[in-house]
């Protein structure tokens, strides 16, 4: 009986993990399309760089 419960919990955690991974991929794809295609950025891959995020954050923080 206990192993059946552990299997169920494991399956539920796997589903949650897969949904989070899928959501992160969709979010990254949306950022890339929004910045590179709609926003006329230089390259859609630039939005995934650390330097671009530092530039964006500095605009909000005044740094």
């Amino acid at each position: 009986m206990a192993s059946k419960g552990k299997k169920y919990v494991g399956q539920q955690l796997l589903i949650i993990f897969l949904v989070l991974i899928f959501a992160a991929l969709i979010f990254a794809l949306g950022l890339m399309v929004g910045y590179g295609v709609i926003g006329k950025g230089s390259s859609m891959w630039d939005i995934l760089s650390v330097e671009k995020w530092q530039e964006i954050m500095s605009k909000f923080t005044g740094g």
Side-chain angles (χ1 to χ4, degrees), residues 25-41:
L25 289 173
I26 295 297
F27 181 71
L29 183 64
L31 284 173
M32 291 167 59
V33 169
Y35 180 76
V37 178
I38 298 171
K40 305 291 188 225

Side-chain angles (χ1 to χ4, degrees), residues 1-51:
M1 195 67 127
S3 67
K4 189 175 182 181
K6 287 182 183 179
K7 184 177 178 183
Y8 176 76
V9 171
Q11 289 175 343
Q12 296 301 312
L13 289 174
L14 178 63
I15 290 171
I16 290 171
F17 178 73
L18 291 175
V19 166
L20 290 175
I21 294 296
F22 185 69
L25 289 173
I26 295 297
F27 181 71
L29 183 64
L31 284 173
M32 291 167 59
V33 169
Y35 180 76
V37 178
I38 298 171
K40 305 291 188 225
S42 58
S43 171
M44 64 187 224
W45 296 101
D46 286 346
I47 196 64
L48 300 178
S49 70
V50 174
E51 294 82 19

